[in-house]
C-alpha cells in the first residue's frame, strides 16, 4: 500500500484551520475541489458558511457532501487533483445526529466512517482534511455529547494515523504534530 498524499489539519473553533488548509490547497498548483460538509441550520451558521465561501477562490469546484463523504472524495479524486474536505466535525455530527432525528447514532455511521477511511487511503489526489480538536476540554455532561466527542476523537486518530502530515492550529499558528516526506510522483 502506498502512503496517501494526505494533510490533516486540526484545531479548535476559530483557530485558523480552514484558512490554513485553503492556503495549502491554493499553493498545491492543482485543480482544487472543496468538499463542504456544513449545512446552514440557522442564520448565524449560514453566515459562517458565507464567510468561508467568500474567502475561497471562485474557480475552485464546490461539492456539498452528505453522509456519503466517501463517494464525494472518490468523485473528486485524480492524480493531479487537490481535494479539501472541510470538515469532519460537521460531517460526523450529521451522521450521529441528523437534523430529522437527533439522538443516538445512525445505524450506518460506523460503515460510513469505514467507507470514508477506505476512500481516503486509496486517494491519488493530494487530500487536505480539516477537523476540530474538541477533546481538550472538560468531559461533557450529556451522554449524546460524550458519545460525539468520543467518536470524533476516534475518527481524528484514524485520519492522523493515515496522514504523513498532521498540523495543529493554535491561535492562527500552525504547529507541526507529525511530518513525513511527501510521496514522490513518478513520471
Amino acid at each position: 500500500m502506498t502512503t496517501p498524499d494526505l494533510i490533516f489539519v486540526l484545531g479548535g473553533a476559530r483557530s485558523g484551520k480552514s484558512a490554513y488548509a485553503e492556503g495549502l490547497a491554493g499553493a498545491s498548483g492543482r485543480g482544487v475541489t472543496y468538499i463542504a460538509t456544513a449545512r446552514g441550520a440557522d442564520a448565524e451558521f449560514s453566515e459562517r458558511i458565507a464567510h468561508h465561501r467568500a474567502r475561497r477562490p471562485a474557480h475552485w469546484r464546490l461539492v456539498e457532501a452528505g453522509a456519503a463523504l466517501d463517494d464525494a472524495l472518490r468523485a473528486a479524486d485524480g492524480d493531479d487533483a487537490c481535494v479539501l474536505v472541510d470538515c469532519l466535525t460537521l460531517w460526523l455530527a450529521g451522521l450521529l445526529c441528523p437534523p430529522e432525528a437527533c439522538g443516538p447514532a445512525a445505524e450506518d455511521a460506523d460503515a460510513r466512517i469505514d467507507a470514508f477511511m477506505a476512500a481516503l487511503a486509496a486517494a491519488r489526489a493530494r487530500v487536505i482534511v480539516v477537523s476540530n480538536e474538541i477533546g481538550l476540554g472538560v468531559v461533557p455532561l450529556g451522554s449524546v455529547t460524550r458519545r460525539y466527542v468520543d467518536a470524533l476523537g476516534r475518527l481524528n486518530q484514524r485520519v492522523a494515523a493515515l496522514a504523513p502530515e498532521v498540523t495543529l492550529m493554535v491561535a492562527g499558528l500552525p504547529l507541526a504534530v507529525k511530518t513525513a516526506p511527501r510521496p514522490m510522483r513518478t513520471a
Side-chain angles (χ1 to χ4, degrees), residues 9 11 19 25 29 39 41 68 81 84 92 94 98 102 110 118 120-121 132 138 151 158 162 165 174 184:
V9 180
R39 299 174 205 267
L84 172 53
L92 183 64
C102 192
D110 288 337
L120 200 54
N132 283 54
V138 297
R158 289 178 70 183
L162 184 63
E165 184 177 330
M184 299 297 294

Side-chain angles (χ1 to χ4, degrees), residues 47-68:
E47 284 181 32
R48 286 176 177 255
I49 293 170
H51 174 74
H52 278 250
R53 278 192 188 128
R55 192 175 57 211
R56 288 192 305 264
H59 66 276
W60 285 8
R61 184 172 165 248
L62 172 65
V63 174
E64 294 182 350

Side-chain angles (χ1 to χ4, degrees), residues 103-128:
E107 304 82 45
D108 67 343
D110 288 337
R112 293 280 186 191
I113 291 167
D114 290 344
F116 170 69
M117 291 303 301
L120 200 54
R124 298 177 325 273
R126 171 164 299 155
V127 182
I128 303 164

Side-chain angles (χ1 to χ4, degrees), residues 3 64 74 95 148 175:
T3 303
E64 294 182 350
R74 283 189 194 96
L95 286 182
Y148 174 73
L175 303 174

Side-chain angles (χ1 to χ4, degrees), residues 14 22 31 40 45 54 65 72 80 96 119 152 158-159 174 185:
R14 295 291 184 236
E22 290 163 5
F45 204 79
D80 294 322
L96 298 181
L152 183 60
R158 289 178 70 183
V159 176
R185 294 192 181 264

